[in-house]
Amino acid sequence: MTEPPTQAAWRRYLRFWRTDARADVDDELAFHLEQRVRDLEATGMSRAAACDEAARRIGDVSALKNVCVQIDESGMRRREREEWRDALRMDVRTALRQLARSPVVTAVSILTLALGIGANTAIFNIVYAVLLRPLPYANADRLAVVAETQRDLRTGVGPGQFTEWVARNRVFESLSAESGATFNLSGVGFAQRVTGAMVTPSKFRTLVMPPAAGRYFVDEEATPGREHVVVLSYALFTQQFGGDAGIVGRTISLSETPYVVVGVAPPDYAPESYGEQLWVPLALTAQHKTKFNEHWLLVYGKLKPGVSLAAAQRDMERVTREIAALQPAAMIDRSVRVVGIREDLAGDYERQLGVLFGAAALILLLACSNIAGLILARLTTRRREIAVRLALGAGRARVVRLLLTESVVLAAMGGVASLAVASGATTLLLRIAPASVPRLDQADVGAATLPFVIVATLVAGLVLGIFPALRSTRGDVQQALRESGRTSSAAGPRDHARSALVVGEIALALVLMTGAVLFVRSARNLADIDPGFDPTGLRSVRVSLAGSRYQSPAQIASGITRLLASVSALLHARAVAATTGLPMGNGVPDVQLHIAGREFPPGQEPAANFLGVSPTYFETMRIPIVRGRALTANDRAGAPPVVVINEELAHRLWPNESPLGKRFYCCGDDSVHVWREIVGVSRNVRHWLTARPFDEIYVPYEQAPAASWVWFSNTVTLVMRTERSDAILPMRLRTAIAAVDPSLPLFEQFSYDDLWRRSTSTNRFAMQLFSAFAALALTLAAIGIYGVLAYLVSHRTQEIAVRMALGATRPQVFALILRQGGALAAGGIFIGIAIAVVASRALQQLLYGIEPTDPITYAIAGFALAAVALAACYVPARRAASVEPYSALRG
Amino acid sequence: MRVDLPQGTLETMVLKTLSWGPMHGYGIGKWIERTSNALTVEEGSLYPALHRMEMRGWLEPEWRTTENNRRAKYYRLTPEGRKQLRAQSKSWSHLVASVGLVLEATEP
């Protein structure tokens, strides 16, 4: 039973390094057996019999061994865990003691971190809500928007094209088409305008979600005559119908037409396209299906499993070529684009939010480098403590761990504090964010926040700690001990590190400052835009003339006339007008113009935005007529058709002659050509604030083609000039409109201030955020540069005293310190400008009227930073200049 | 006579054995068998019990060299082990007395 000696020696060797449970159990049991054999032999047994008996008694030795080893090892693991936990607890306690020793530095660090992490978290909450949060649709990664393009601009899809797509594509499981529509939902005692959509029944197959009640449409319901069925959104179902499932099968009145409710969509079915409250079937007639030049459909597709967006794009381009071969005239300059639904929803905001997130990350980086500077400064004074620890036998790893624990504890405190900052900042962001950002309403300090804060905190803690920790354990222990109280010579290499940090901070601050200045100047440019009309005191309200009383264009026109009369009576004949397209308010359709006596090659026919307006429009909006005359009350139905065009169109079509008296027909008057004579030219108006003026034609609403009312869903905007302070105007407007017809719902009541704010909200949001970031960055950089110089001065008091004793004047000493600060600032500014030139390219599309490389901007940002840096140098420089040489040298 | 030991009794006996001084596993088993006059201590129970008690901190291991120059693992009572011994002997006596009262009862 004795073991070969070599093995025993090996075991002893192993045991030297760590306890070996298995070897110990082996030895213990071997000894047991030996003793047993010896005792049995003593009773007179033969050695062989004794061995057998001993083996019999002990039974399965290897099983016994395993049981013992298992017990030992589990105990050891537990003990190791406990030891580790004890050590951690001790480190944390030490860290807290260290942090408590310099409360001001600690407080500043925690505050800085809280701001840094909090700002990031707030932006992250927005980014998460808009870009990352899962969509409510099953298979959202397979959903795509399919749009036609014209010269690379997205347009709607023609019913002809859609029909061909469905027939010819090989990549989509299903394709659905829809078009927005509004309805007057009327019941007992209320009239409400609801937004809805006409959809092909395949819509609900494309965005798969089971209905909350009832069913969706069947294919047969997409045929004329059977289409009077409706699916309600869950919101409408609960708000308007009390959430009673008994509504399914009942009839409701939409624009005075009865519709049967067949189903209710589920609550989280959150359609983003129009914010629809209900859906009715889209009945594409055979005539529709051959229309290739009217682009009014929005098309969704669900890709077959495994098909990529790129593959779908290629396939749809093939389909488009096939269609072009059939319909060459309709397909000139046209192509197709397949866009993932997530990308489509996020739209332009992806870039903007990316920019903001990048800016927030810069702030965190700045905060970290600032605190790293503070930690480095403190380490210099702690050098002896660390040297003592090392001399007393603490391993280098142990000291690194201790210092890392310190920085992580610091970061954790900052992280906890940042939750308050994040929650406040998110609320603030939501308040100032543009209302048009999709899915923002659901942003919150939610479940995604905490993991983000934890990760950001840990990263910050490690980044903060690793650099100083590695630094401090390097170097000669004995020398550090020998230096005892004198710290002046120890400042050498660490100062370079701190200086580098400060240069980096200034560079980062400059980048943010540049962004802020760019946005401020961009906002200035926006404010300076002349829209071409006078927005002061303008108010608008939209009215929808839907229902059986407004079937014919004549009925609609007379409705508008009565509305205008009623409202202008109310406003005591102050200017009131009607228009189908309000600048900055709603979009306008464009129509092809066929000009008398002129031929254009296919695809190059002139087109212009169509507006149906009341004759008072130009006067109300204060749009000057530069040639000819404005529309008058005589330009009514039955009178010779007339039109006013804007300068832009006049210049494009008749650059060298007067357009007055020229004639064209337009607007789907294919069967009967209605020739309209140009009687006036108006000044250009910017329909959208940041877009250059479009080509526009203004047609008297009484002469508007019948088809046009369909484009506008029978809605018209009343616009009037009012006293700014008329608080009860909205109510009086309501009364005036109800006096004409109480069943007319009105909506989108705006003052032009609202519209203006809405048009500039994206820019304002970016400007406010960047300004806040830049202010934060400037403060942090100032603290950083102040810290380095103050430290420098306090440790060079003796040297400065010697200089002064040798004849240096106070201004010279002042200048010396200022020069040092100035060198740091200059370095940072130059590096910052280099980074900003590259980084600001990301802002290009968010700016208006200014290039990202605008030199004046860089000059402003550079000077601002230089001024702040010099101000931060002032106090330390003053202190240096006020050193009293004698007392400093004697002390 | 073979007696099945109630759960935990072996541990109490081990603690008692070690109250005389440090001992190795074989010695512990032998002492209990000799003193009890009737019990057989099986290795399959003894050694796991020893290791368990060591992990609980009742016993402390100590490698020693025996008279005949063999390395052996001795176990020693820790203060915690001594406390356990006192508590366990007390509850054992209590149990024996209670069971005795029941079994020796003379009237219903």
Side-chain angles (χ1 to χ4, degrees):
Chain A
M1 276 277 122
T2 46
E3 287 171 298
T6 49
Q7 210 178 335
W10 173 241
R11 286 230 170 112
R12 260 197 297 285
Y13 173 75
L14 279 182
R15 262 193 218 120
F16 176 75
W17 293 105
R18 48 169 299 218
T19 52
D20 180 347
R22 184 161 288 278
D24 282 354
V25 173
D26 273 356
D27 283 2
E28 186 177 20
L29 293 181
F31 173 78
H32 178 95
L33 284 169
E34 259 172 60
Q35 288 294 319
R36 172 82 71 211
V37 169
R38 184 194 298 264
D39 278 6
L40 289 173
E41 273 179 327
T43 62
M45 244 185 228
S46 74
R47 186 171 173 85
C51 283
D52 284 351
E53 173 60 14
R56 190 192 59 75
R57 279 203 57 173
I58 202 165
D60 187 348
V61 187
S62 65
L64 180 58
K65 266 186 208 167
N66 283 338
V67 170
C68 291
V69 168
Q70 227 163 24
I71 293 170
D72 288 0
E73 279 179 349
S74 70
M76 253 184 284
R77 265 201 302 279
R78 203 185 55 227
R79 209 169 300 161
E80 272 165 20
R81 256 201 318 272
E82 274 165 11
E83 270 168 27
W84 191 82
R85 212 179 307 140
D86 285 348
L88 184 66
R89 203 173 301 142
M90 216 164 69
D91 280 358
V92 169
R93 214 173 297 140
T94 317
L96 288 175
R97 236 189 347 260
Q98 279 295 345
L99 294 176
R101 203 168 285 169
S102 36
V104 175
V105 173
T106 305
V108 168
S109 305
I110 292 175
L111 191 67
T112 310
L113 271 173
L115 287 175
I117 299 175
N120 271 276
T121 310
I123 300 279
F124 172 78
N125 281 336
I126 306 285
V127 169
Y128 180 78
V130 177
L131 300 181
L132 304 176
R133 199 159 41 89
L135 293 168
Y137 309 119
N139 298 317
D141 52 331
R142 280 165 54 198
L143 295 181
V145 173
V146 194
E148 283 192 67
T149 61
Q150 183 171 34
R151 292 183 209 96
D152 268 349
L153 290 174
R154 253 170 82 164
T155 71
V157 177
Q161 279 89 342
F162 173 69
T163 310
E164 295 299 325
W165 287 358
V166 172
R168 292 171 187 270
N169 91 83
R170 295 172 194 152
V171 287
F172 289 103
E173 207 168 87
S174 64
L175 280 170
S176 70
E178 61 185 83
S179 176
T182 59
F183 302 91
N184 292 354
L185 173 64
S186 49
V188 186
F190 70 93
Q192 189 193 354
R193 177 181 172 272
V194 291
T195 315
M198 301 184 287
V199 301
T200 57
S202 55
K203 156 106 173 172
F204 296 101
R205 285 198 298 276
T206 307
L207 310 180
V208 213
M209 287 188 89
R215 61 169 175 86
Y216 296 134
F217 304 131
V218 294
D219 287 340
E220 294 75 59
E221 281 164 342
T223 47
R226 290 202 52 185
E227 82 274 31
H228 293 291
V229 287
V230 58
V231 169
L232 305 177
S233 75
Y234 199 82
L236 191 70
F237 170 63
T238 48
Q239 286 156 21
Q240 206 57 252
F241 301 103
D244 175 14
I247 187 71
V248 174
R250 294 230 300 268
T251 301
I252 61 171
S253 168
L254 293 177
S255 303
E256 293 174 28
T257 309
Y259 278 78
V260 176
V261 178
V262 296
V264 177
D268 45 357
Y269 186 89
E272 317 285 347
S273 40
Y274 305 107
E276 305 104 304
Q277 292 168 286
L278 52 80
W279 298 271
V280 299
L282 172 66
L284 287 179
T285 59
Q287 194 191 358
H288 274 129
K289 289 177 182 172
T290 56
K291 282 273 185 193
F292 287 85
N293 52 6
E294 291 174 2
H295 309 270
W296 50 282
L297 293 175
L298 177 64
V299 174
Y300 286 106
K302 182 170 155 202
L303 292 165
K304 288 178 182 166
V307 175
S308 71
L309 284 170
Q313 175 70 31
R314 279 195 301 277
D315 189 60
M316 289 308 291
E317 281 170 7
R318 171 191 62 82
V319 171
T320 304
R321 281 193 298 274
E322 291 178 15
I323 298 172
L326 300 173
Q327 301 281 341
M331 297 300 288
I332 290 162
D333 287 331
R334 287 201 162 262
S335 187
V336 68
R337 194 176 299 158
V338 182
V339 184
I341 194 159
R342 187 179 282 282
E343 189 190 334
D344 180 66
L345 284 176
D348 307 334
Y349 296 104
E350 192 160 351
R351 167 177 293 274
Q352 291 183 25
L353 290 174
V355 165
L356 293 181
F357 209 27
L362 285 188
I363 286 286
L364 187 55
L365 201 59
L366 237 165
C368 281
S369 49
N370 216 334
I371 300 164
L374 290 174
I375 291 180
L376 273 179
R378 223 180 31 190
L379 274 184
T380 316
T381 50
R382 277 179 65 186
R383 203 162 170 234
R384 257 175 67 79
E385 174 214 322
I386 288 159
V388 168
R389 277 179 195 275
L390 287 171
L392 289 179
R396 199 144 287 201
R398 194 74 191 69
V399 173
V400 168
R401 187 174 128 179
L402 180 71
L403 293 173
L404 269 186
T405 310
E406 256 181 68
S407 66
V408 171
V409 165
L410 188 67
M413 300 204 292
V416 170
S418 82
L419 285 178
V421 176
S423 142
T426 307
T427 315
L428 190 70
L429 280 181
L430 288 180
R431 194 165 316 144
I432 64 173
S436 53
V437 180
R439 311 212 292 159
L440 193 57
D441 48 327
Q442 295 131 3
D444 206 349
V445 183
T449 307
L450 207 57
F452 180 82
V453 170
I454 290 171
V455 169
T457 302
L458 280 181
V459 169
L462 292 179
V463 166
L464 277 182
I466 198 80
F467 178 53
L470 288 180
R471 247 205 123 77
S472 64
T473 56
R474 220 182 297 141
D476 186 354
V477 174
Q478 298 206 342
Q479 200 206 327
L481 286 173
R482 224 176 297 126
E483 274 165 8
S484 66
R486 290 183 297 122
T487 43
S488 51
S489 56
R494 247 148 251 96
D495 270 358
H496 288 309
R498 288 195 71 193
S499 302
L501 281 176
V502 167
V503 169
E505 278 173 44
I506 292 174
L508 290 179
L510 186 104
V511 172
L512 288 171
M513 188 74 195
T514 310
V517 176
L518 281 174
F519 279 115
V520 169
R521 285 165 57 82
S522 176
R524 260 281 186 71
N525 293 341
L526 280 175
D528 287 348
I529 291 175
D530 173 12
F533 61 92
D534 178 6
T536 322
L538 281 183
R539 283 197 75 87
S540 72
V541 59
R542 271 181 97 184
V543 183
S544 168
L545 297 144
S548 56
R549 261 165 303 188
Y550 307 99
Q551 296 283 350
S552 70
Q555 285 169 327
I556 296 168
S558 95
I560 294 173
T561 309
R562 278 181 291 138
L563 280 174
L564 283 175
S566 175
V567 172
S568 68
L570 169 96
L571 294 176
H572 308 298
R574 224 165 290 168
V576 181
T579 174
T580 57
L582 187 70
M584 294 185 219
N586 38 283
V588 281
D590 67 330
V591 295
Q592 227 172 63
L593 308 180
H594 304 273
I595 294 154
R598 282 174 73 169
E599 285 294 330
F600 294 89
Q604 290 174 34
E605 295 94 345
N609 284 355
F610 176 96
L611 292 97
V613 298
S614 67
T616 47
Y617 181 72
F618 299 97
E619 182 198 330
T620 307
M621 300 285 284
R622 296 188 183 145
I623 301 171
I625 299 293
V626 294
R627 253 186 178 161
R629 64 169 175 91
L631 302 173
T632 69
N634 294 326
D635 299 321
R636 59 186 69 228
V642 293
V643 61
V644 168
I645 67 174
N646 71 349
E647 284 177 292
E648 189 77 13
L649 182 65
H651 188 74
R652 182 183 311 279
L653 291 178
W654 295 278
N656 302 316
E657 53 182 321
S658 166
L660 298 181
K662 301 281 195 267
R663 296 189 313 148
F664 61 81
Y665 74 91
C666 70
C667 328
D669 305 329
D670 290 339
S671 41
V672 192
H673 295 174
V674 179
W675 292 95
R676 297 169 194 275
E677 187 185 326
I678 298 169
V679 294
V681 178
S682 67
R683 231 185 101 196
N684 288 335
V685 164
R686 280 181 184 244
H687 198 84
W688 302 116
L689 197 54
T690 55
R692 39 176 279 109
F694 302 131
D695 298 334
E696 285 179 324
I697 60 172
Y698 298 89
V699 171
Y701 69 91
E702 289 179 89
Q703 296 182 351
S708 66
W709 293 111
V710 179
W711 307 335
F712 307 121
S713 319
N714 290 18
T715 60
V716 69
T717 302
L718 302 180
V719 58
M720 60 220 79
R721 197 170 293 278
T722 63
E723 302 300 330
R724 269 170 179 274
S725 54
D726 193 348
I728 56 163
L729 184 79
M731 231 162 62
R732 291 201 292 168
L733 260 177
R734 201 172 280 280
T735 318
I737 289 166
V740 174
D741 182 345
S743 81
L744 292 180
L746 59 165
F747 53 100
E748 288 180 16
Q749 283 217 43
F750 287 124
S751 74
Y752 246 94
D753 288 348
D754 299 335
L755 291 176
W756 203 278
R757 216 170 299 130
R758 200 170 68 168
S759 301
T760 54
S761 62
T762 305
N763 185 276
R764 202 173 45 246
F765 183 57
M767 181 185 79
Q768 285 167 334
L769 273 187
F770 262 83
S771 302
F773 284 168
L776 201 57
L778 274 182
T779 315
L780 290 176
I783 293 173
I785 201 164
Y786 169 81
V788 166
L789 287 185
Y791 179 81
L792 211 76
V793 168
S794 70
H795 283 262
R796 284 174 63 186
T797 313
Q798 292 214 336
E799 180 211 321
I800 292 167
V802 171
R803 279 173 192 262
M804 289 174 92
L806 292 178
T809 61
R810 289 186 191 280
Q812 277 172 335
V813 171
F814 187 81
L816 174 79
I817 300 300
L818 224 51
R819 249 200 319 277
Q820 293 215 338
L824 294 180
I829 288 171
F830 280 117
I831 296 172
I833 286 177
I835 300 173
V837 166
V838 180
S840 61
R841 233 175 272 158
L843 305 182
Q844 180 107 51
Q845 290 176 1
L846 306 177
L847 298 175
Y848 179 78
I850 188 164
E851 282 300 307
T853 49
D854 174 59
I856 298 173
T857 298
Y858 286 77
I860 294 174
F863 277 119
L865 254 155
V868 169
L870 286 184
C873 296
Y874 178 76
V875 176
R878 270 290 297 280
R879 196 176 304 148
S882 60
V883 164
E884 291 299 334
Y886 292 110
S887 61
L889 284 176
R890 212 176 297 129
Chain B
M1 183 176 80
R2 260 197 76 110
V3 181
D4 286 331
L5 290 174
Q7 189 71 36
T9 326
L10 177 61
E11 290 185 359
T12 317
M13 289 192 295
V14 167
L15 290 173
K16 176 70 187 173
T17 313
L18 291 177
S19 70
W20 308 120
M23 179 49 65
H24 45 68
Y26 182 73
I28 295 168
K30 213 165 109 183
W31 191 84
I32 293 173
E33 284 177 0
R34 209 176 57 218
T35 314
S36 70
N37 227 345
L39 300 175
T40 308
V41 179
E42 288 185 21
E43 289 89 336
S45 318
L46 176 64
Y47 282 96
L50 285 171
H51 282 253
R52 234 176 350 252
M53 289 155 80
E54 180 189 333
M55 287 306 138
R56 281 181 208 144
W58 298 354
L59 309 183
E60 215 170 39
E62 190 183 321
W63 288 89
R64 285 200 202 170
T65 316
T66 60
E67 317 81 81
N68 15 2
N69 214 17
R70 287 283 302 156
R71 251 169 53 85
K73 188 181 181 185
Y74 279 68
Y75 292 89
R76 177 211 304 276
L77 268 191
T78 63
E80 174 63 28
R82 230 167 260 289
K83 225 182 334 177
Q84 280 295 327
L85 172 60
R86 271 197 300 279
Q88 291 189 9
S89 349
K90 210 159 131 196
S91 73
W92 173 254
S93 320
H94 190 67
L95 176 71
V96 169
S98 317
V99 172
L101 280 177
V102 172
L103 294 184
E104 283 154 27
T106 49
E107 49 191 86

